[in-house]
Amino acid sequence: MSTRDRDRLPLMQGTLDVLILRILIFGPQHGQGIARAIKESSDHELLVEHGALYPALQRLEEKGWIAAKWGTSSNNRKARFYSLTRTGRERLVRESTKWRRLAAAMSRVLGPETEPR
Amino acid sequence: MISFFRRHRSREDFASEIEAHLDLEVDRLVADGWSRDRARQEALRAFGNVALARERFYEKSRWVWLEQAAQDLRYAWRTLRQSPSFFATTVLTLMVGIGVTTVAFTVFNAYVLRPYAVRTPSSLYQISWRSPTSGGVGFRWRDYLELNDRRDLFDDVVAETSRFVSSDGQPLAAVLVSGNYFEALGPRILLGRAFTAADDDAVVVISHQAWRRQFASAPDVIGKEIALNGRHFTIVGVLRPEFTGLGGFPQDLWVPLSVYAPIADPDLIGPQQARTLELVARIREGVSPDQVKARLSSFIQHAVEAPTGEQPQAFIEPATRNSLSLQMLAVLSPVFAAFVLVLVTACANVSNVMLARGVSRQREIAMRLSLGASRGRVVRQLFTEGLLISLFAGLGAVAFASVALRAMVAAFFGTLPPAVAGILRLVPLDLDYRVFVFTMTASMTATVMFALIPALQASRLSLIDNVRGTGASMRHGSKLRHALVIGQVAVSLILVTLAVTLARNGAAVGSIDLGYQSAGVISINVRGNQDDLIRHLVPVLAADPRVAEVAATGGNPLFIRTRSVAAAPGEGSPARPVRYTFVAPEYFSILRVPIVQGRGFRTDEARLAASVAIVSSATAKTYWPGVDPIGKTIRIERAEGRPVDELPGYTQLTVIGTAPDVVSGLVVDGADPGHIYLPITADDPHATAALVRGRTPRDLDPQTLQTIFGRVAKDPQVFEALPLDEMRDLQIYPLRAASWVGFLLGALALGLSVSGLYGVLIYTVNQRTREIGIRVALGATGTAVVRLIVSQSARLAAIGAGIGLVAAGGSLKALSSVVQLQTISLLDATAFAAGVVLVVGAAALAAYQPARRATRIDPSQALRADV
C-alpha cells in the first residue's frame, strides 16, 4: 500500500453497507462509481478496497436492498448499475439514524478535540 | 417479489463486472493524467485481491454446497475404499442391526399400518347391531337386499361370509360374496377379470397367494377349473397381492354367493336364510355414520333377533382391518424394543469403531484443520462418510430383511403343527415404500448417532494436542468407548437371559403330563354355528371301519372352551365355580383316563342326560376331604351375577365315580383345579364336538376325514379336525417361537458385543504398545501381560453383566407380577446363570487374540517406535 493510503481510515465492520445505500440515493451507479463516490464524499478520508466492494454489493442485492442491471456508462463502457429498492431506502433511513446517534454519542463521550492532528 | 424474480448470477457475470470496474477505473485514472500501463497497475492495486473477491462470491453461491457435498462424497468414497475392512465391518454390522429392525417393522406394517387395497377405504363401514345384553354382525340375505336399496345412505352394500372349503381334500379359505363385491370395493386385478352381479356361473376369483401356492403362478390359470367341495368352478381372475379380503385373515378365493348358496349348508338365499352374512357398506358422501345409525333403527328392529324386551340398535364402525390403538402399541412395544436393542448394540459397535478410527485419524484431521479447513467442513466430511455407510447399510438391510422374512415364514410354517399350517394364512409381508422409508430413516438416524457424535468428538481437538497425538480428548473417547461396550454386554445379557427363560419354560410346559393319552386322538369341532352336525357325524364315524373309538363331547380338552358352574358339596356349604364338561361315556376310554373310584357312565344315563356326575380327584378332595365321594350329591346353584354359566335342568348331581386330574384348558395353566363330568350322547344339544381315535394312527389322515365329513355335510370343511397333540404343540408354539427369536436376537447381540469388546482391547494393546514394551523390558512375564489385557476385558464384561442382570431381573420381575401362570417361572436362576456364563465366555473369547498380540510385543521394537 502506498503512504497515501496508510493515512486513511479503514472501514469499520458494517459501515460499507450504509455507505453504498447512501451513495445510491442519488440514482443508479456502477461499482467503480460507488467506490469513487465514497472516497470523494468522505474527503478522501475513507479507504474502500475495491475488491471488498463487490461481495458487499452482491450481499445487498441478495437481501433485496438494491437491484442491479447491466447498462452503459457515460464513457460508453458496459457496467453493472445498482439502484436502491424500496426496502433499501427504508433500511438506509433506519441505519443512518443509528449511525448518526452513534457518532453523536461517541463525540460526546470523547469530548472536544484536545490534541491537534 | 424481488427475491422471487431475482436470477442467480453466474460466476462469469461476476467476473465481467470486475473487469468492467477495472476498465472504468483505468479510464478515470487516464483522464486524471496517468499513463495507461500505470493506471492499470493502480486499478489492480486499489482493487486488492481479485482472486479473493471471486472466491468470496463463489462461496456465496448456492451451488457451492452441492459441489462441496460431491467433493465430500468422492473423498469419503476414496477413504472408505482405502480401508475396506473398516467399511465392510461397519456396513455389515449396521446392516444386521437395521435389517433386524426392518423385519420387525415389516410385520408391523403388514398387519397394522397397511390400509385396505380398495377404493377409498375410509368410507367403508361394517354394519352390526347391539342391545343391552346381546349383539351381532350376522344378517340374512333379504336384509342385505333391503339395505343395498337404501341409496339415501349408501353407495353400495356388500355381503360376505367366509368359510373353509375343500379342494381335493385341502382346505381353502373362501369368501362367499354378493355379486357387486368387486365393483363396490374396487380391488385391483392382476389377471383375468373380477365377477359382477351379472355372473351366475360357477366362477371364482383367486388371491395372489393362492395363485402362487396352488397353481405355482401359472400364467394360463384363467379358465382352469378348481374343485370346491366337489363342484367345479372356473377361475376367471387373479387379484393383485395387496388385496387379501376385508378381514384380518387373508382369503384364498371369492365365489358369488348366489352361485354357491344352493350347495351351502344351510342354503343362504333359500327360504331358510341363516343370519351369517356380514354387511359392509360404502356410506354416501355427506352422510355421517351417526346419521346412518339413526336412520337404520327401524331396519334393525325387524332384521335381527334381540333378546325379548330389548331394543336392538344399529352399530356402525369403520371396516378397517386393524386400527392402531395405544393399547396395541403398549403390547407390541416390548417386542419391538427387543429388536431395537439389537440395533442399538450394532450402533454401539459402529460408534466404537468410528471412535477408534477418529482417534487414529486425528493427525489427518489436524493436518486438514491446520491447512485451513473449517471445523464445519471437517465435520461435514466425516458425516458424509457416515452417510455413505448408512446408505449401503440401509440397502443391505432391505435385502437382509427380505431374505430373513422369507426364511422366517418358511420356518414358521415348517415348525407349526401340520394341521394348523394347512389352514393358517399370513398377510403378504411386503417391503413396500413405508418399509423402505423406515429403513432409510433408521439408517440415517443411526448415522447421526454413530457417525456424527464421533465426528464432533474428533474435531473438538486442539491443534497442538493433535499433532502430538495425545490429549485429554482421547481419554474422554476411551471412556465413551468403554461405556458403549458395557452397554452392549448388558443388552446381550438381557436378551440371552430372556431367551433361555422362554426356552426353559417352553420345554417345561411341553413336558407337562396332560393326565391322558393325547397321541392318536383327533379333535373335531364345528366351524360356525352348526353344532347340531355333531349328532349326524358321530354315528357315521362310529360305523366307519377305520375308526376305533369315538366320543361326543360338549367341548374338547385343550380347546379352551371349558365352562364353569356354581356348585356346592351338599346342603349348607357355599357354592364355588367349578369347571364342567358334557361327555359321552366313551370319553374316558378314548383318552385312556381310568375311573379311579366308582364306575363310568352307563349308556342309559347318557341317553337320558341323567343327573349323575364323575368328578376329578381334585374336586373330590376339596369337597369331601378324606371321605369316599361316591354317592355324595353336588348342588348346582343358579348363576346370580357370578362369572359362571347357567346349567338349566340340573339342580343336584349324584357322584358315581372319580377320574384323575387332567389338563383341559391351557397347558400353561396346568391340571384343572377341579372338574365335573356330565353324561350325554351325540344326540344331546350339548354335544358340540367329538373325539375320535383311529384303529392305527395312520387310518384317519386328513384326506380320509374329509371324505367322511363329506358324507355328513355339503361343506366338509365345516368340521375342523385337529389332532390333540398338535393342539398341544400349538399352545406351546408362541413360547417356543418367542424363545427362538430371543435366541437369534441374543446371539446377534452377543456376537456384536464380542467384536465390540475385541475392538476396544486391540485398540488398548495398540495404544499401550510402548508401555507394555517397557514392562516387558523391565522383566514383566507373559502372564502379567496377559493379565493386563484380560483384566480390562473382565472389568468391562463384569460391569456390563452387572447392569444387565439388574435390568433383566427388574424387567422380568415386573413381567412376572403381570403374568401369573403356575407353570411359568420368569425369575429362573438357571437362565440368569446361563446368561452370565455366556457373557463371561464372550469376554474371554474377545480377550484371547488381543492378549496374544500383547505377549508378542517385542520390547526393543516397541521402544524404538515413534509414538
Side-chain angles (χ1 to χ4, degrees):
Chain A
M1 270 183 199
S2 70
T3 38
R4 204 183 50 170
D5 281 350
R6 207 169 294 156
D7 297 338
R8 293 190 189 153
L9 296 170
L11 275 182
M12 275 162 66
Q13 194 77 38
T15 47
L16 186 57
D17 292 3
V18 193
L19 290 176
I20 293 171
L21 294 177
R22 174 67 195 167
I23 300 299
L24 288 181
I25 207 149
F26 304 112
Q29 186 59 275
H30 49 69
Q32 189 261 349
I34 295 171
R36 201 153 273 271
I38 292 173
K39 196 167 140 195
E40 278 162 9
S41 58
S42 69
D43 292 334
H44 298 259
E45 283 275 26
L46 293 178
L47 167 76
V48 176
E49 193 182 83
H50 297 174
L53 187 66
Y54 285 92
L57 284 169
Q58 182 64 26
R59 194 170 58 239
L60 292 177
E61 194 188 337
E62 267 168 29
K63 281 179 181 164
W65 296 350
I66 58 174
K69 212 165 65 180
W70 282 95
T72 322
S73 75
S74 50
N75 54 353
N76 243 350
R77 276 200 188 274
K78 227 167 74 89
R80 205 161 185 261
F81 279 81
Y82 294 89
S83 56
L84 213 52
T85 63
R86 220 184 60 215
T87 24
R89 206 173 289 272
E90 284 161 11
R91 192 78 202 176
L92 174 64
V93 174
R94 238 182 307 155
E95 290 289 312
S96 46
T97 321
K98 202 175 86 188
W99 275 105
R100 271 199 206 98
R101 282 173 57 197
L102 182 68
M106 282 297 284
S107 58
R108 269 202 300 280
V109 171
L110 295 174
E113 220 170 293
T114 47
E115 240 176 88
R117 262 168 37 126
Chain B
M1 284 296 273
I2 291 162
S3 66
F4 184 79
F5 289 113
R6 195 181 61 227
R7 296 224 328 266
H8 208 86
R9 291 179 74 186
S10 68
R11 291 163 74 174
E12 288 71 31
D13 191 73
F14 188 77
S16 54
E17 184 177 15
I18 291 174
E19 214 38 63
H21 169 96
L22 293 174
D23 289 344
L24 282 165
E25 186 72 13
V26 168
D27 284 354
R28 179 72 195 228
L29 289 169
V30 168
D32 283 354
W34 295 55
S35 79
R36 196 153 267 282
D37 281 354
R38 285 208 49 215
R40 178 91 196 158
Q41 275 173 19
E42 173 60 20
L44 282 172
R45 190 200 58 77
F47 194 89
N49 192 337
V50 178
L52 191 67
R54 283 198 190 147
E55 187 93 335
R56 290 226 185 104
F57 168 78
Y58 167 65
E59 285 197 345
K60 277 224 160 59
S61 93
R62 78 178 81 162
W63 300 112
V64 75
W65 183 87
L66 202 66
E67 216 156 297
Q68 284 185 352
Q71 245 172 40
D72 285 345
L73 212 56
R74 271 199 305 276
Y75 188 77
W77 176 239
R78 266 207 308 273
T79 318
L80 294 178
R81 283 262 310 267
Q82 270 165 16
S83 36
S85 63
F86 163 77
F87 190 36
T89 315
T90 45
V91 166
L92 286 176
T93 310
L94 274 174
M95 185 187 96
V96 171
I98 296 166
V100 163
T101 327
T102 303
V103 166
F105 182 80
T106 308
V107 176
F108 177 71
N109 174 52
Y111 275 94
V112 181
L113 294 183
R114 189 159 40 204
Y116 277 130
V118 296
R119 202 170 55 235
T120 349
S122 55
S123 65
L124 291 177
Y125 288 83
Q126 172 147 32
I127 295 167
S128 57
W129 64 275
R130 284 181 190 178
S131 75
T133 63
S134 190
V137 293
F139 291 90
R140 295 162 300 182
W141 180 248
R142 63 176 75 103
D143 303 327
Y144 157 71
L145 292 177
E146 185 183 341
L147 275 197
N148 198 27
D149 281 340
R150 290 293 293 269
R151 292 296 136 172
D152 57 326
L153 298 175
F154 310 120
D155 283 336
D156 285 293
V157 179
V158 299
E160 66 165 5
T161 178
S162 54
R163 63 184 58 195
F164 280 96
V165 295
S166 234
S167 179
D168 301 324
Q170 212 181 352
L172 291 179
V175 205
L176 322 182
V177 296
S178 52
N180 64 342
Y181 183 87
F182 289 108
E183 285 161 298
L185 298 180
R188 289 166 66 202
I189 305 285
L190 182 72
L191 292 177
R193 62 176 181 93
F195 54 76
T196 66
D199 275 289
D200 45 13
D201 297 328
V203 291
V204 57
V205 169
I206 64 174
S207 75
H208 191 264
Q209 282 187 9
W211 179 50
R212 270 213 330 233
R213 200 178 49 239
Q214 309 292 126
F215 298 98
S217 302
D220 58 344
V221 72
I222 304 298
K224 280 196 177 164
E225 297 217 315
I226 183 170
L228 304 179
N229 291 349
R231 285 253 323 235
H232 287 279
F233 282 73
T234 311
I235 297 169
V236 292
V238 178
L239 288 164
R240 288 183 60 88
E242 58 269 15
F243 183 74
T244 56
L246 286 182
F249 188 88
Q251 307 288 350
D252 290 325
L253 48 93
W254 288 258
V255 292
L257 217 154
S258 55
V259 176
Y260 192 88
I263 59 164
D265 226 1
D267 187 347
L268 294 168
I269 59 174
Q272 279 195 330
Q273 299 181 355
R275 287 191 166 86
T276 54
L277 299 181
E278 292 190 30
L279 303 183
V280 171
R282 191 182 285 287
I283 295 184
R284 281 185 78 98
E285 218 177 295
V287 180
S288 75
D290 282 338
Q291 282 170 302
V292 174
K293 183 179 171 178
R295 285 156 83 175
L296 282 187
S297 61
S298 72
F299 162 80
I300 289 293
Q301 307 286 342
H302 71 253
V304 304
E305 276 180 329
T308 37
E310 287 185 8
Q311 283 284 314
Q313 281 211 320
F315 199 77
I316 314 291
E317 56 190 339
T320 39
R321 181 167 46 205
N322 293 296
S323 48
L324 188 56
S325 63
L326 273 177
Q327 205 178 1
M328 191 196 307
L329 278 183
V331 173
L332 289 179
S333 56
V335 179
F336 209 69
F339 285 83
V340 170
L341 275 182
V342 175
L343 175 59
V344 169
T345 326
C347 280
N349 237 11
V350 171
S351 201
N352 229 331
V353 177
M354 284 274 195
L355 270 174
R357 196 172 139 83
V359 172
S360 67
R361 281 176 74 185
Q362 274 179 344
R363 285 196 199 184
E364 178 211 326
I365 289 163
M367 186 71 83
R368 295 182 60 199
L369 284 173
S370 61
L371 285 178
S374 69
R375 185 170 165 238
R377 191 69 203 278
V378 169
V379 171
R380 209 153 66 207
Q381 170 61 45
L382 295 174
F383 188 59
T384 311
E385 274 177 37
L387 216 58
L388 203 61
I389 290 173
S390 84
L391 182 73
F392 280 97
L395 293 176
V398 172
F400 175 91
S402 133
V403 173
L405 279 167
R406 214 167 297 168
M408 274 170 63
V409 169
F412 181 59
F413 279 104
T415 52
L416 266 180
V420 180
I423 55 168
L424 195 78
R425 306 280 183 270
L426 293 182
V427 304
L429 298 169
D430 288 335
L431 301 166
D432 58 12
Y433 77 94
R434 269 181 296 270
V435 173
F436 198 75
V437 167
F438 168 85
T439 306
M440 283 306 166
T441 313
S443 196
M444 301 290 169
T445 314
T447 305
V448 174
M449 275 159 52
F450 73 75
L452 194 60
I453 293 169
L456 290 173
Q457 179 99 26
S459 77
R460 201 188 294 131
L461 319 159
S462 78
L463 282 180
I464 297 158
D465 270 354
N466 269 306
V467 177
R468 276 215 314 258
T470 57
S473 53
M474 276 169 60
R475 236 168 285 134
H476 179 77
S478 68
K479 219 186 259 171
L480 184 60
R481 302 182 42 151
H482 289 175
L484 287 171
V485 169
I486 289 170
Q488 284 182 321
V489 171
V491 166
S492 34
L493 182 75
I494 294 171
L495 288 173
V496 168
T497 310
L498 191 70
V500 176
T501 307
L502 287 169
R504 279 176 51 82
N505 275 305
V509 173
S511 64
I512 286 175
D513 182 16
L514 295 177
Y516 47 86
Q517 220 191 80
S518 56
V521 179
I522 296 167
S523 149
I524 295 164
N525 282 294
V526 185
R527 294 187 173 117
N529 302 320
Q530 305 179 65
D531 289 343
D532 60 328
L533 282 173
I534 287 292
R535 120 188 11 218
H536 305 296
L537 178 66
V538 170
V540 172
L541 280 172
D544 196 280
R546 288 162 291 199
V547 173
E549 288 169 281
V550 57
T553 73
N556 289 342
L558 299 180
F559 279 79
I560 321 157
R561 288 191 191 143
T562 47
R563 299 170 183 183
S564 303
V565 69
E571 291 298 322
S573 33
R576 260 175 293 176
V578 61
R579 290 183 194 196
Y580 72 92
T581 309
F582 289 101
V583 297
E586 300 85 3
Y587 180 82
F588 297 99
S589 70
I590 200 170
L591 287 174
R592 313 281 190 256
V593 174
I595 300 297
V596 186
Q597 282 170 291
R599 59 172 175 86
F601 294 128
R602 285 197 312 257
T603 328
D604 59 317
E605 285 168 342
R607 205 171 51 242
L608 298 169
S611 291
V612 291
I614 293 174
V615 297
S616 73
S617 304
T619 304
K621 222 169 277 168
T622 29
Y623 280 11
W624 305 283
V627 182
D628 182 8
I630 306 300
K632 297 273 189 239
T633 49
I634 298 172
R635 185 165 48 83
I636 302 294
E637 286 197 353
R638 286 198 52 193
E640 279 160 20
R642 259 174 274 225
V644 291
D645 299 290
E646 290 273 1
L647 203 46
Y650 291 87
T651 49
Q652 275 207 338
L653 299 170
T654 308
V655 177
I656 58 159
T658 64
D661 294 321
V662 299
V663 180
S664 70
L666 286 170
V667 181
V668 286
D669 282 338
D672 302 336
H675 213 131
I676 300 176
Y677 300 96
L678 302 166
I680 50 158
T681 60
D683 290 332
D684 194 280
H686 290 297
T688 55
L691 294 174
V692 59
R693 191 189 277 276
R695 292 217 178 272
T696 69
R698 250 176 244 125
D699 270 339
L700 294 178
D701 57 55
Q703 196 85 34
T704 313
L705 281 172
Q706 284 297 311
T707 328
I708 300 174
F709 295 158
R711 283 184 225 148
V712 181
K714 289 182 189 168
D715 260 341
Q717 287 291 339
V718 78
F719 296 109
E720 174 197 81
L722 192 61
L724 280 185
D725 272 350
E726 294 192 15
M727 189 59 201
R728 176 206 186 112
D729 287 347
L730 188 66
Q731 281 197 16
I732 307 161
Y733 192 80
L735 265 180
R736 292 218 173 114
S739 80
W740 295 329
V741 172
F743 267 122
L744 267 176
L745 295 182
L748 281 177
L750 198 64
L752 288 170
S753 15
V754 167
S755 81
L757 201 51
Y758 170 83
V760 167
L761 296 175
I762 278 285
Y763 176 73
T764 312
V765 171
N766 285 347
Q767 287 289 300
R768 291 168 75 176
T769 303
R770 198 185 170 90
E771 181 206 323
I772 294 169
I774 294 173
R775 280 171 189 254
V776 174
L778 291 178
T781 57
T783 328
V785 173
V786 168
R787 199 184 301 135
L788 198 70
I789 303 302
V790 171
S791 73
Q792 191 192 3
S793 175
R795 202 175 61 239
L796 292 175
I799 299 172
I803 295 173
L805 277 177
V806 172
S811 52
L812 283 172
K813 194 164 179 162
L815 200 63
S816 67
S817 66
V818 181
V819 187
Q820 280 176 333
L821 298 169
Q822 302 174 18
T823 52
I824 297 271
S825 59
L826 286 175
L827 287 170
D828 183 353
T830 318
F832 281 89
V836 170
V837 166
L838 269 174
V839 165
V840 168
L845 188 71
Y848 176 73
Q849 170 69 17
R852 264 173 64 109
R853 190 189 282 198
T855 55
R856 290 215 205 95
I857 288 172
D858 181 353
S860 59
Q861 266 183 12
L863 291 176
R864 244 186 284 127
D866 168 42
V867 176

